[in-house]
Each structure stands twice: as C-alpha cells, then as structure tokens.
Amino acid sequence: MAEQYVGEPVALSVDVAELLPLAAEEAGITDPAELYERFVSWTWIDAGGRP
C-alpha cells in the first residue's frame, strides 16, 4: 500500500483507518493503542511522524 500512496501520507492513513475495524475483527485485537501501533502508525514513518 505504501508504494501506491507515495507523497500522500494523509490519504494512506485515511484508507488504512477505514480498514481498521475489519483488521481488528480479523486479528481479534480490541486494545485501541495496539490497533493504532499495528495498523496505522507505520503510515507516517516516511512523513516524519512517529515510527
């Protein structure tokens, strides 16, 4: 996914966030912090955000 959104970190984060409920259900994760770290935080690494 990261390659499809080069230069568009906000769009990548939005799309990943939209998939978050499905990913959480499939992975059986209910902790919001863990969900963020596993599924969203990586989208901002190249944009100077949190690793």
Side-chain angles (χ1 to χ4, degrees):
M1 282 185 84
E3 291 177 2
Q4 296 174 347
Y5 291 88
V6 171
E8 298 185 49
V10 173
L12 174 60
S13 293
V14 169
D15 285 351
V16 168
E18 288 177 354
L19 295 171
L20 192 60
L22 177 61
E25 182 180 332
E26 288 185 2
I29 300 170
T30 57
D31 177 38
E34 184 179 355
L35 286 170
Y36 175 81
E37 289 300 322
R38 289 189 62 184
F39 297 106
V40 181
S41 68
W42 68 271
T43 64
W44 285 96
I45 291 173
D46 290 335
R50 293 181 356 177

